[in-house]
Structure formats: structure tokens, C-alpha cells
Amino acid sequence: MEMMQENNKSNGTKEELIRVENLYKYFPVHGGVFQRVIAWVKAVEDVSFFIYKGETLGLVGESGCGKTTVGRAMLRLVEPTKGSIKFEGTDLLNLKGREMKAMRRNMQIIFQDPYASLDPRVPIGESIAEGLKIHNIGTAKDRFDIVQEMLCKVGMEDYHARRYPHEFSGGQRQRIGIARALALRPKFIIADEPVSALDVSIQAQVLNILKDLQKDFGLTYLFVAHNLSVVEHISDRVAVMYLGKIVELASREDLYREPLHPYTKALMSAIPIPDPTITRDRIILQGDVPSPLNPPLGCRFHPRCAVAIDRCKVDEPVFEEILPGHSCACWIAK
């Protein structure tokens, strides 16, 4: 935490919106005749970071690394096992009932699968207005006007409000998901892989919409993804996760110019270069990702790391600042 506080002082002109400290999320595994808890899936362990107002923090990693769980735990869509999540100084884990309901107006999520998150029996205008009804915002006419405004903001037409989800393409449905997240005028939005299921041309449109909306509404994003090219395009800072832990965090420029962690270097080597005359040395990781049921001792990446030393197999590296504004959990990088 001292490292995070020092970073804050060095960026004195910026103000924190949300801070996550020592976040854990374990899922029980049941078995036996009486379905007792026999083990725990350690999805997220000791994750800490903060996000400044108006910035985009990219959260990247392989499928199953825990990045979506971090986002859902921040909104308490899944209850964290322990930790602290402070939004403008208020710890969300201490809020209950009406207090938490009121706080939810400030925080929204854009889901990865827009079709699964929309009720197929309800016109999309009603889906967008649902949050407004729950929070008793305005009259029916006011809510209708807000729905039309949000549809316009994401590049859709007024008459689309009367149509059903199956009448739209994947890109249009994702725009609807963005409009729904915007309807309550939140300060913070978690974008959970919002473009991973879309064509490349549509991805660019959705990303540009998100960037334009961030300027118009002063939004703060946590952008969850596994596509490093997409993250580079939209993020201000980037955090890299592996098997439930953040292993590296830095500004976009520093991370893509000089990654420190061997896992980050392997991810970077897989980014396609849009020039056939340029080649890049590819780092091929050996073996599979260990199970979060029984993560390895020491550094969790050491079974797949080509440069691991004996200490990596025994001692877990401390996540700390290696270069100004550039933090990493690796004994080799220190």
C-alpha cells in the first residue's frame, strides 16, 4: 500500500475514484453425499489497485485468470471473501440495503454477451429504462426522453426503442448495453470484454463510442479484456493478471515499451504486427495454467517461466514498484 500512496503523491493533480485493497474471492467446491465444502477455488487473491477519475485502467490476462471476477466483486455482483473496495472514500463492503442500492447508481457494467444480458421478451427501450424505474428517476415521459438521448449517444435511432433484442446485430446489441449502462449517469463503468464477440470493424466503432462517451460524461472505466491490441488503444494504465493475482501494473506507454514480468513479455510477443516485413521473436509458454484449486508455491508463473530461479519456486514475489509508476511481482525483474 505504501507504493500506491507514493504513486498518488507523484500524481498530485489526479484524484482517485476507486481503490481496491487486498481483495480476495474464493468459490466453494462441494462434494460427497452431504455436498459439504471440500475445497476452494482461489479465483482472486490479494489484488490491490486504484483508478483515477476520468482514466481507463485496462485489466488483461488469459481466460480464467480472475479478471472478470475482480470486476464483479467490485460491484458486489459476487460478494468478495475479504478485502476493501472504496468508492470516493466509502467502503462498499460496509454498505447494506438502501445505501448499497443508492451507491449502485454511480457504478454500472457492460457485459461481455449483450444478448444474454437483455430480456428477449422486452423492447430494448424498456430494458434501458429499467434502472431508471428501479431508482424512481423522473416520470414516464422523463424516462422515455432519457432512453432516446442514450440511444442517440451510441449512434442508434429513436424508433429502435420499440424493437426487441433479436432484431439487432451483435454490434447494435452491444451499443444497447452501453446505453443501458449510461442511463443512470454513472461515474464508473466496468466494461467486461465488451468487444471480444464482435467483428474487428465493429470493435473499432464500439471502442470509439466508449472513448467519446468518456469525454462527454467524464466517465472512469475498468476495461477488462484479453486482447492486448484493444487494451493499448483505449487504456491509460494497464494491469496484467495471472492466476488470480496482478503481476504487473504500469502506464500504457511503459508497459508496451518495456514489460518487466516474463508473463507480460510472453503476452506482448503474441500481438500481431500489421507489417509483413517485420518479425517478432515469439515466446511460447510451456504447459498449462495451474489450477486455482491448488496454485503452485512461490511465484504462480514459475512452472511455465523460462527464466525462473530456485527462489521463484519457494518465495512468492512481492508486488512493488520497480521503476517510477511501474510495479511488478517478479524476483528476476527486481
Side-chain angles (χ1 to χ4, degrees):
M1 288 303 100
E2 291 180 4
M3 173 273 296
M4 294 171 69
Q5 290 168 359
E6 289 173 5
N7 279 352
N8 219 12
K9 291 177 182 177
S10 64
N11 294 277
T13 57
K14 297 181 181 180
E15 185 179 355
E16 282 183 23
L17 179 72
I18 193 163
R19 176 180 282 266
V20 175
E21 293 181 338
N22 311 116
L23 182 67
Y24 289 75
K25 178 57 186 175
Y26 293 170
F27 293 98
V29 178
H30 299 276
V33 176
F34 298 103
Q35 288 296 296
R36 293 172 177 167
V37 176
I38 59 173
W40 294 90
V41 176
K42 299 173 182 177
V44 176
E45 277 203 291
D46 199 18
V47 165
S48 299
F49 60 89
F50 58 85
I51 308 176
Y52 293 117
K53 287 185 177 180
E55 83 162 343
T56 300
L57 176 67
L59 187 61
V60 302
E62 293 174 283
S63 296
C65 72
K67 54 188 186 294
T68 293
T69 303
V70 168
R72 290 174 178 259
M74 289 173 69
L75 299 183
R76 290 183 61 184
L77 297 180
V78 296
E79 285 295 328
T81 302
K82 62 179 178 178
S84 172
I85 304 166
K86 293 183 179 179
F87 185 88
E88 295 184 326
T90 301
D91 195 338
L92 302 183
L93 301 188
N94 293 333
L95 301 182
K96 296 181 181 179
R98 292 181 180 179
E99 290 180 330
M100 189 62 208
K101 178 181 176 181
M103 182 61 76
R104 290 190 187 281
R105 287 187 59 178
N106 296 314
M107 305 179 296
Q108 294 293 305
I109 185 169
I110 301 167
F111 292 99
Q112 179 178 359
D113 185 351
Y115 189 68
S117 64
L118 293 171
D119 189 336
R121 301 164 299 177
V122 174
I124 63 106
E126 292 186 26
S127 292
I128 295 172
E130 186 175 8
L132 300 171
K133 292 179 181 179
I134 291 172
H135 290 277
N136 297 315
I137 296 175
T139 64
K141 174 66 167 59
D142 294 333
R143 292 193 288 267
F144 178 75
D145 291 341
I146 292 173
V147 168
Q148 290 190 318
E149 179 188 359
M150 293 303 108
L151 285 173
C152 180
K153 286 288 185 182
V154 298
M156 300 186 72
E157 303 295 335
D158 294 350
Y159 62 84
H160 285 144
R162 298 186 295 274
R163 294 187 176 180
Y164 290 83
H166 72 272
E167 299 181 69
F168 298 96
S169 66
Q172 287 175 317
R173 286 197 288 263
Q174 195 58 280
R175 291 173 189 237
I176 294 165
I178 295 171
R180 183 174 58 179
L182 279 175
L184 289 169
R185 298 294 179 95
K187 298 177 181 178
F188 175 59
I189 292 180
I190 293 176
D192 184 12
E193 304 206 32
V195 298
S196 62
L198 306 179
D199 294 337
V200 175
S201 59
I202 305 300
Q203 285 184 12
Q205 294 176 17
V206 172
L207 290 174
N208 289 333
I209 287 173
L210 289 172
K211 294 184 76 171
D212 290 342
L213 292 172
Q214 186 172 36
K215 294 178 183 177
D216 294 343
F217 293 96
L219 295 170
T220 302
Y221 291 139
L222 176 68
F223 192 90
V224 178
H226 60 262
N227 187 324
L228 286 166
S229 298
V230 169
V231 171
E232 183 180 16
H233 176 72
I234 197 170
S235 300
D236 299 301
R237 291 186 300 135
V238 181
V240 181
M241 282 194 74
Y242 183 80
L243 201 62
K245 285 182 173 284
I246 291 181
V247 298
E248 189 164 1
L249 193 156
S251 67
R252 174 186 59 196
E253 294 80 7
D254 291 344
L255 191 79
Y256 283 79
R257 183 182 66 250
E258 188 180 359
L260 300 178
H261 198 282
Y263 176 62
T264 309
K265 292 178 181 179
L267 293 180
M268 295 296 180
S269 74
I271 300 176
I273 300 176
D275 187 340
T277 64
I278 299 177
T279 59
R280 173 183 281 162
D281 293 333
R282 185 73 195 278
I283 301 174
I284 306 297
L285 297 178
Q286 302 299 319
D288 297 322
V289 180
S291 170
L293 278 168
N294 186 27
L297 294 175
C299 175
R300 296 188 173 194
F301 184 62
H302 86 259
R304 306 175 70 194
C305 181
V307 296
I309 58 177
D310 290 340
R311 187 179 186 183
C312 300
K313 302 175 184 178
V314 180
D315 298 330
E316 184 173 342
V318 179
F319 183 72
E320 60 184 2
E321 192 172 43
I322 307 298
L323 299 172
H326 196 151
S327 302
C328 181
C330 179
W331 294 121
I332 306 296
K334 299 183 189 300

